Amino acid sequence: LVLRLYDTRDGAVRIGGVDVRELQLDALRANVRSVTQEVQLFNASVYDNVTLFDSSVDESRVRDVLHDVGLDPWFATLPDGLGTVLGAGGVGMSAGEAQLLALSRVFLAAPAVVVLDEPSSRLDPATEQLVEAATTRLLAHRTAIVIAHRVAALAAVDDVAVLENGRLIEHGPRAVLAADPTSAFAQLLTPTESPA
């Protein structure tokens, strides 16, 4: 709804108080980007996969964002650097490398709002730490919407909305909900997770 892939039938989705349906699509999509658990990569060069085929982007900027997300070791192995052609769907890349490449797209775009849909759900613990570190840098000074089934992925969020069967059943500050044993969010926390 934030990206206007669909429009809401009831109510409104607002960014900065403005209904997204009142914004020009190109302006909206320039300022709102998403990273999903299923990364879409193209049978194209690394450069084109990061820039989404925008040839006006300086190659040094692309190398910088690859560094920023922690892809230097992977990038160093590529035979043709930014010109290396990736297989469609990321053939030859690990799930973590593909996820970091998807994050590099968002770093490059520098949007005001980032939607993260289970970005580390398919990763091994070591790669998940790289993705989490890159995500922390990416989200600094930005608004983020984090969609997660694992409550641990919400440790750094300010507010939580709990959905059940497509309905909002609870919304509020994470710390307040976590500290309230009657809240739906608190009941989702495992005994090892901190309530604050």
Side-chain angles (χ1 to χ4, degrees):
L1 295 175
V2 174
L3 291 162
R4 287 202 63 203
L5 301 176
Y6 300 96
D7 282 329
T8 182
R9 291 179 295 217
D10 298 316
V13 175
R14 291 183 173 84
I15 296 178
V18 178
D19 188 322
V20 295
R21 293 171 291 193
E22 296 173 12
L23 300 172
Q24 294 291 323
L25 275 178
D26 58 343
L28 174 68
R29 297 208 174 125
N31 286 293
V32 180
R33 294 291 173 104
S34 69
V35 178
T36 64
Q37 61 184 325
E38 294 296 326
V39 176
Q40 300 300 316
L41 297 178
F42 305 100
N43 186 24
S45 69
V46 171
Y47 175 89
D48 286 336
N49 269 282
V50 174
T51 65
L52 295 175
F53 302 92
D54 180 354
S55 61
S56 70
V57 178
D58 188 85
E59 287 188 1
S60 65
R61 181 72 182 116
V62 175
R63 283 190 290 276
D64 288 345
V65 297
L66 292 173
H67 169 77
D68 290 345
V69 299
L71 276 174
D72 282 337
W74 169 78
F75 186 69
T77 67
L78 300 180
D80 297 318
L82 293 176
T84 301
V85 175
L86 302 177
V91 173
M93 295 181 77
S94 72
E97 290 163 346
Q99 197 65 264
L100 289 166
L101 194 72
L103 282 169
S104 70
R105 292 173 176 164
V106 179
F107 266 89
L108 188 67
V113 178
V114 178
V115 179
L116 298 174
D117 183 5
E118 302 275 4
S120 62
S121 65
R122 303 180 307 128
L123 307 180
D124 62 83
T127 307
E128 184 174 5
Q129 287 180 346
L130 279 176
V131 169
E132 286 175 6
T135 301
T136 299
R137 288 192 305 279
L138 171 66
L139 299 183
H141 311 294
R142 290 187 171 88
T143 298
I145 298 169
V146 181
I147 302 161
H149 287 91
R150 293 182 337 182
V151 180
L154 304 175
V157 303
D158 298 318
D159 292 314
V160 171
V162 180
L163 302 176
E164 184 175 85
N165 298 321
R167 296 226 175 265
L168 178 68
I169 63 167
E170 185 171 77
H171 175 255
R174 183 194 189 285
V176 171
L177 295 177
D180 177 0
T182 65
S183 80
F185 180 68
Q187 293 172 24
L188 294 171
L189 293 170
T190 64
T192 60
E193 290 179 275
S194 168

